[in-house]
Amino acid sequence: MEIETIDTQGICIPRLGFGTFRMPGTGCQPVVESALALGYRHIDTATMYENEDAVGAALAGAGIARGALHITTKAWHDSLQPDALRRSLDVSLKRLRLDYVDLFMVHWPSPDMDLPAVLETMQKLKDEGRTRAIGVCNFTLPMLKTALDEVRAPLACVQVEYHPFLSQAGLLGYLRPKHIPLVAYAPLAQGRAASDPVLARVGEKHGASAAQIALAWLLDQDGVIAIPKAQHKESQQSNLGALKVRLDDEDRRAIAGLPKDLRYVSPPFAPKWDA
Ligand SMILES: NC(=O)c1ccc[n+]([C@@H]2O[C@H](COP(=O)([O-])OP(=O)(O)OC[C@H]3O[C@@H](n4cnc5c(N)ncnc54)[C@H](OP(=O)(O)O)[C@@H]3O)[C@@H](O)[C@H]2O)c1
């Protein structure tokens, strides 16, 4: 099934991508090979995932035209000084065996980062052609306002945790008028969505699983991209099946009734979310 794309800042991002967190080392290679063979073209990795070598090997062997792929990587929060950012992308490109990535992101903000300098360096890396676009993850609304309204950084997207149990209404309300997509990470609430009874009930009506309903709910929303991770081929295939599900107002109302304050990814170095 054709995966719809979103155009932003000169790149074209498939709305259903493939996450690779918690698959360190060589074991990630066959998993990414399987995802590529099934039709995924958007692969999300990061220096911190310790699997860029494996992702690179899978890409090299897949024989897919570079232009048909969207590859995202990210720099860790201890590498946001200009030189460190450059080095981070250099190492990522070597490991991924690529001349450029499609999207280079700040993985987490850091309290002592110099945000204008970070964004200026990222912009330079873009100008030099080592990444086609830049973005940020885990930024709060005030941080985004600084990046976009003050620094005027050409962010292609913003990646944050988003699933049926966590609202991102504030960020979406700010990003949508600017036509900046939101990339939903942990779109299955790290697997929890698959066993949710409300999502399962909605799924029964559509002959779909609870996990497919969680993804369909995200893809039903303007400007939202989802990057589920699935180690098993059956789940990879099943997640692609979410593209066929069309929710109606009754389904949307049922999902709106789920709790919306459950954030599962909040490490000690995370920013104050409600700041
Ligand atoms: N920027 C950031 O700070 C950040 C943070 C977290 C994640 N991310 C990105 O977002 C991606 C997705 O997030 P995530 O991996 O944390 O969580 P997720 O995609 O919400 O959930 C992954 C879990 O769901 C299971 N699963 C997948 N498909 C399923 C299905 N159809 N039925 C039942 N279970 C299913 C997987 O099982 P198996 O794998 O065992 O099959 C895995 O345990 C990451 O891989 C990473 O690329 C970014």
Side-chain angles (χ1 to χ4, degrees), residues 111-124:
D112 48 302
M113 70 185 171
D114 174 347
L115 186 53
V118 169
L119 295 168
E120 192 186 315
T121 306
M122 303 226 353
Q123 168 80 57
K124 277 190 195 143

Side-chain angles (χ1 to χ4, degrees), residues 82-102:
D83 285 355
L85 258 178
R86 282 184 168 276
R87 263 197 310 277
S88 178
L89 182 54
D90 274 346
V91 172
S92 291
L93 289 175
K94 241 181 234 122
R95 290 182 177 151
L96 288 163
R97 311 187 197 179
L98 297 175
D99 300 325
Y100 65 88
V101 286
D102 298 277

